Amino acid sequence: MKRAIGFTVNGQPRMVTTDPERPLLEVLREDLGLTGAKYGCGEGQCGACTVLIGGKSAPTCVTPVGDVEGKTILTIEGLSDGEKLHPVQEAFLEEDAFQCGYCTPGLILEVAALLREKPSPTDEEILSALNGHICRCNHYTKILKAVRRAGAKAGR
Ligand code: FES
Ligand code: FES
């Protein structure tokens, strides 16, 4: 049964009236027009739909919207500071770390969350964070370079 569900997205309070079991990804894309999070596997296995919920990365394809009631969500649309890109976005641009870009929003948010917790992550920590993200373009070498570059910026 539909009900009103309130949460904060990119600093803005939002309210949707919908079935609480609907995937958050669908609500973000179809109801709120935030299409940065992508539909990939639909099973929580590829990372394309990642956003940050309460600062932690989460696959929105398997997150019922009812579960985020009262929580704070950050999507890729809200990561930059106005015109100023987030350091992880800058690093991905500088390293040319995307091809089709389908995996990029989820990856960037995952790395932003990692660097917030660990400004100078080890390679092991980076690989562990990237583990749930699939790049169909097989752009992993440049992605890894971008994450190291972002880590160097964050650790300064
Ligand atoms: S679409 Fe959500 S993890 Fe693949
Ligand atoms: S750049 Fe195409 S899926 Fe990663």
Side-chain angles (χ1 to χ4, degrees), residues 97-104 107 134-139 143:
F98 41 82
Q99 199 164 320
C100 78
Y102 206 80
C103 65
T104 311
L107 271 168
I134 293 172
C135 175
R136 297 176 302 179
C137 302
N138 200 15
H139 223 48
I143 289 168

Side-chain angles (χ1 to χ4, degrees), residues 9-102:
V9 185
N10 301 334
Q12 303 287 322
R14 306 301 296 255
M15 182 76 75
V16 292
T17 299
T18 190
D19 177 350
E21 292 305 316
R22 269 178 86 203
L24 176 60
L25 178 62
E26 199 177 295
V27 172
L28 289 172
R29 292 180 59 85
E30 294 177 11
D31 298 18
L32 302 181
L34 296 167
T35 56
K38 305 287 188 251
Y39 185 87
C41 64
E43 297 177 350
Q45 302 293 317
C46 76
C49 64
T50 299
V51 304
L52 303 188
I53 301 174
K56 305 267 184 216
S57 67
T60 53
C61 64
V62 290
T63 302
V65 65
D67 286 10
V68 301
E69 187 156 29
K71 295 189 178 167
T72 298
I73 297 167
L74 182 69
T75 72
I76 195 69
E77 288 89 348
L79 186 63
S80 65
D81 181 7
E83 296 290 300
K84 183 166 171 31
L85 292 178
H86 186 278
V88 179
Q89 292 173 308
E90 281 179 353
F92 269 65
L93 271 176
E94 287 158 4
E95 292 293 349
D96 203 15
F98 41 82
Q99 199 164 320
C100 78
Y102 206 80

